[in-house]
Amino acid sequence: VPLMMDMTFSELIRAYRQREGLTLAEMGRRCGTTAQYLHSVESGVDTSVSRADAILSRIGLSLTLGKGPSIETRRKKRESA
């Protein structure tokens, strides 16, 4: 499942988890949260920006706010610095 920049946060998290072949429980451990919480994120119930940024940072992505939200890989940002 390719990660697309026009995905919602919920869609991005689900696509990443599926691409990596992770269950909700495995992804939760990787992100330092629970399967139940990730389910609420993937369902669009929890859309907190601060929580979104915390989850993304655990999987190597970052949230950039500007004219519109953007998601970049931390590796890409480090390579360009």
Side-chain angles (χ1 to χ4, degrees):
V1 179
L3 301 181
M4 308 295 282
M5 293 303 128
D6 60 346
M7 290 179 159
T8 66
F9 176 63
S10 299
E11 292 167 338
L12 176 76
I13 292 300
R14 177 176 283 129
Y16 175 86
R17 181 177 62 77
Q18 290 173 341
R19 186 186 76 182
E20 296 296 310
L22 300 170
T23 65
L24 282 168
E26 292 165 335
M27 179 77 165
R29 283 190 292 279
R30 186 177 283 191
C31 294
T33 190
T34 65
Q36 293 81 2
Y37 175 70
L38 281 178
H39 176 71
S40 71
V41 169
E42 289 187 1
S43 301
V45 173
D46 189 309
T47 57
S48 164
V49 172
S50 63
R51 288 183 181 168
D53 192 48
I55 289 172
L56 290 172
S57 70
R58 294 279 182 118
I59 58 175
L61 301 174
S62 64
L63 179 63
T64 304
L65 299 175
K67 290 184 179 179
S70 169
I71 299 170
E72 303 173 10
T73 65
R74 291 194 187 281
R75 184 181 327 134
K76 189 176 190 179
K77 287 179 93 175
R78 277 182 277 186
E79 289 172 358
S80 65

